[in-house]
Each structure stands twice: as C-alpha cells, then as structure tokens.
Amino acid sequence: MNPIDPLLTIAQVAELLGTTERFPRRLVAERRITFVKVGRHVRIPASALTEFITARTVQPITIRRNSLRRAA
C-alpha cells in the first residue's frame, strides 16, 4: 500500500461498487479485501479496491461461429 493511497469509507466503496454497505462490510468481515483499522473505523485503500475488482474481472470468451456447427 502506497502511503499516499487514499483510504475509502465503507459507504464510498459501496457507492463505487454499486452495492449496499452490507457487501463491503462482509468482504472485510470475511477478510476477502485488504483494509485498515483507524481506531474503530474501517477504511479500504483505493488500490485494494482496484486489485479486488481486477482479480474478479472475467474476460469474455470469443468463439468462432464455424466451430459451433455440427457435421450432418
């Protein structure tokens, strides 16, 4: 984590992911995302959120149409 890396609140992470606050809280509780505890507050580094999204991005499969046809 870069010292200049901004720390995001749970609400900010939820907004960026387009989810409710419950989802990022569950990610933290299950230790599925890197987080920082500042006193009793939980913050998620922006780089950790980027890594989380990148690791779970699924690339499309390209299939040629000819390979889908069956021989008669």
Side-chain angles (χ1 to χ4, degrees), residues 22-54:
R22 184 176 180 181
F23 180 67
R25 286 186 192 283
R26 195 173 78 224
L27 293 176
V28 168
E30 295 172 358
R31 305 286 199 261
R32 292 172 47 200
I33 192 166
T34 303
F35 64 95
V36 177
K37 289 212 54 165
V38 182
R40 64 180 210 168
H41 303 283
V42 174
R43 299 292 184 259
I44 298 174
S47 61
L49 182 60
T50 303
E51 289 172 19
F52 178 81
I53 293 169
T54 302

Side-chain angles (χ1 to χ4, degrees), residues 1-7 46:
M1 183 177 92
N2 185 351
I4 303 173
D5 195 10
L7 298 175

